[in-house]
Amino acid sequence: MATEGQQFKHSFIAGADLSAKQYYFMKLSAADTVVVCAGTTDKPIGVLQNAPTAGQAAEVCYFGETKISGDADLAYGDNIGTSADGQAAAYTVSDTTKHLVGIVLIDNGAAGGLITALINCANSRTLA
């Protein structure tokens, strides 16, 4: 079962309807505005903690222990970044175009399920 722990968060403005994107990776889209990550090379700013509609406050965890929706069956210890639809996806350190921003602490058992991950989006970078 996915859990959460200590988190550092920031409030942004939802740049779109994010009411169905709780626990998805977010990216900056404009000044103080976030939308869901839409590509595997997007740079995540954090994980959405609430479910705002466009223009509402979007609470984003950028560092800490959080739940994240998994794009596939993820395993304990997997390095993660964003999938093409904002869910967590496993990548290896040789994936030089992907931003590795966390590690799985509790797996999901099936695609679409929630994992627990320790994330650090404040210092994400590719290995290229």
Side-chain angles (χ1 to χ4, degrees):
M1 179 175 81
T3 62
E4 294 181 310
Q6 184 72 30
Q7 297 178 341
F8 289 88
K9 300 183 223 176
H10 184 80
S11 289
F12 295 93
I13 299 165
D17 182 356
L18 303 175
S19 59
K21 299 300 181 183
Q22 184 177 24
Y23 304 124
Y24 277 58
F25 279 116
M26 298 288 115
K27 66 178 179 178
L28 294 172
S29 63
D32 205 34
T33 305
V34 293
V35 294
V36 69
C37 287
T40 61
T41 59
D42 284 351
K43 182 177 181 179
I45 190 69
V47 176
L48 186 64
Q49 300 297 299
N50 61 344
T53 57
Q56 292 184 323
E59 193 74 17
V60 177
C61 170
Y62 61 88
F63 183 87
E65 188 178 328
T66 183
K67 297 175 184 176
I68 306 175
S69 180
D71 195 52
D73 182 4
L74 301 174
Y76 171 82
D78 282 347
N79 291 306
I80 58 169
T82 185
S83 67
D85 64 358
Q87 295 182 62
Y91 298 115
T92 64
V93 294
S94 62
D95 285 324
T96 59
T97 62
K98 312 297 191 301
H99 291 270
L100 301 179
V101 294
I103 188 167
V104 176
L105 300 177
I106 300 174
D107 64 22
N108 54 354
L114 293 177
I115 64 166
T116 298
L118 181 59
I119 64 163
N120 181 359
C121 293
N123 193 30
S124 75
R125 66 187 93 180
T126 64
L127 298 174

